[in-house]
C-alpha cells in the first residue's frame, strides 16, 4: 500500500520525532489498547517547537476545505479545549495571523467553573452565534472531541471543523468499518483536518531504515488489528 505524503507532513513527522513527541515502544492508551507508538503533544515545549507546531497546523488548515474559493476561512473563532488544546489553539491562531494574515478570535474553556473574578468556564472571544474551529492534539476514539462539540452546541456556537496534529486512524469498535475521525466527520457533519495520519507515519517508517524492521512490523500489526 502506498500513501502520498506532502513535504510539510514529512517535515512534521521528522520534527515530532526530533522533539521526542512521537515515540516507539509500548504504550497503554485512554481506550485501553496497547500501542507501539505514542504522540505526546505536551512535549512541544520550547519557543521554537511551539512556533513550528503552530505553522504546521496553519498549513494543514489553509490546505483544507475550511478555506473557500476566495481564500477566506470558514470559521470566526479558534477554540482550544482544556488542557492541551489551550496552548495548541493559541499557537495555531497566532500562526494563522503571522503566516496567512487571518485574524480569527481565540477562546478556551476551563475544566472547572470559577466563581470569582471573571467567572464562568469559557475564556476569550465570544463564540455564541459564531463559526468555530476546534483545535486538539490527537484523535483515537473521538471521545474528547465529542465533549467539545457538545459544549459548543450548548452555548449556541456552530462547530465547523476540527484540526488535529495526528489522526491515529483507529476504529472505535472492531465491528465498525469507519475510523473514529471518519465517524466524527459523519456524526457532526464537519471536516476533520489532521497534519498527519497513521498511513503517513507508516510510510515515513518505510522510508527511514534507522527505525528498524521491528517498529515497522509492530505498527503494521497494530494497524491491521485496530486501524482502517
Ligand atoms: P480520544 O479522546 O479517544 O480520541 O483520545 C485522544 C486523547 O488520547 C488525546 O487527547 C490524548 O489525551 C490521548 N492520546 C495521546 O495524546 N496520544 C496518543 O498517541 C494516543 C492517545 C490516546 O490515549 O489514545
Amino acid at each position: 500500500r502506498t500513501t502520498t505524503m506532502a513535504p510539510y507532513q514529512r517535515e512534521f513527522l521528522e520534527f515530532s520525532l526530533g522533539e521526542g513527541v512521537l515515540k516507539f515502544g509500548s504504550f497503554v492508551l485512554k481506550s485501553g489498547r496497547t500501542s507501539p507508538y505514542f504522540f505526546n503533544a505536551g512535549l512541544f515545549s520550547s519557543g521554537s517547537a511551539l512556533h513550528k507546531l503552530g505553522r504546521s497546523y496553519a498549513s494543514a488548515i489553509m490546505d483544507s476545505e475550511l478555506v473557500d474559493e476566495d481564500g477566506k476561512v470558514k470559521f470566526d473563532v479558534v477554540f482550544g479545549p482544556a488542557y492541551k488544546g489551550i496552548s495548541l489553539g493559541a499557537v495555531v491562531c497566532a500562526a494563522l495571523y503571522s503566516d496567512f494574515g487571518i485574524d480569527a478570535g481565540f477562546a478556551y474553556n476551563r475544566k472547572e467553573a470559577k466563581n470569582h473574578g471573571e467567572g464562568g468556564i469559557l475564556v476569550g472571544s465570544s463564540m455564541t452565534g459564531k463559526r468555530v474551529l476546534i483545535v486538539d492534539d490527537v484523535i483515537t476514539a473521538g471521545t474528547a472531541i465529542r465533549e467539545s462539540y457538545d459544549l459548543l452546541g450548548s452555548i449556541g456556537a456552530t462547530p465547523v471543523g476540527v484540526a488535529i496534529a495526528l489522526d491515529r486512524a483507529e476504529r472505535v469498535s472492531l465491528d465498525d468499518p469507519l475510523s473514529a475521525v471518519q465517524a466524527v466527520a459523519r456524526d457532526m457533519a464537519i471536516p476533520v483536518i489532521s497534519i498527519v495520519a497513521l498511513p503517513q507515519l507508516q510510510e515515513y517508517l518505510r522510508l527511514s531504515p534507522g527505525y528498524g524492521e521491528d517498529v515497522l512490523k509492530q505498527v503494521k500489526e497494530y494497524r491491521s488489528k485496530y486501524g482502517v
Side-chain angles (χ1 to χ4, degrees):
R1 209 165 0 181
T2 54
T3 309
T4 54
M5 182 153 55
Y8 77 87
Q9 294 181 309
R10 167 191 300 282
E11 276 162 33
F12 183 71
L13 287 167
E14 253 157 34
F15 162 55
S16 299
L17 287 159
E19 295 292 327
V21 165
L22 180 57
K23 282 203 174 85
F24 303 107
S26 180
F27 306 91
V28 179
L29 306 184
K30 198 160 108 180
S31 59
R33 293 176 184 171
T34 301
S35 168
Y37 75 99
F38 195 82
F39 187 90
N40 181 358
L43 293 176
F44 287 118
S45 51
S46 68
S48 59
L50 289 170
H51 181 67
K52 266 196 191 172
L53 178 65
R55 300 184 75 172
S56 302
Y57 273 94
S59 300
I61 291 164
M62 296 309 288
D63 198 26
S64 78
E65 59 199 280
L66 289 171
V67 180
D68 68 20
E69 291 122 41
D70 305 327
K72 290 213 181 92
V73 293
K74 298 179 186 170
F75 52 87
D76 309 300
V77 181
V78 171
F79 172 65
Y83 294 101
K84 277 190 207 158
I86 298 178
S87 53
L88 295 175
V91 297
V92 171
C93 201
L96 284 167
Y97 180 69
S98 62
D99 286 13
F100 299 98
I102 287 155
D103 198 9
F106 170 60
Y108 64 90
N109 66 309
R110 297 178 203 286
K111 289 223 179 184
E112 283 160 42
K114 226 172 112 172
N115 47 23
H116 57 92
E118 67 271 37
I121 66 155
L122 291 170
V123 186
S125 175
S126 165
M127 294 190 285
T128 301
K130 301 279 174 60
R131 301 168 301 171
V132 178
L133 171 65
I134 302 167
V135 173
D136 212 341
D137 54 357
V138 177
I139 290 184
T140 303
T143 318
I145 278 304
R146 283 171 203 272
E147 282 167 22
S148 295
Y149 184 85
D150 292 345
L151 172 70
L152 294 177
S154 76
I155 58 150
T158 308
V160 293
V162 177
I164 54 173
L166 173 68
D167 169 10
R168 295 183 50 102
E170 291 183 34
R171 287 175 285 163
V172 182
S173 92
L174 295 188
D175 37 47
D176 194 340
L178 295 185
S179 73
V181 155
Q182 290 164 338
V184 162
R186 175 200 58 197
D187 299 345
M188 301 178 187
I190 55 176
V192 180
I193 313 306
S194 62
I195 307 173
V196 289
L198 178 59
Q200 279 96 35
L201 170 59
Q202 250 187 319
E203 180 72 3
Y204 182 85
L205 289 174
R206 267 198 289 268
L207 301 170
S208 318
Y211 290 99
E213 285 297 310
D214 275 8
V215 169
L216 192 57
K217 190 165 157 262
Q218 283 160 9
V219 171
K220 196 175 168 193
E221 277 169 14
Y222 186 79
R223 186 174 172 196
S224 50
K225 191 161 173 199
Y226 299 114
V228 289

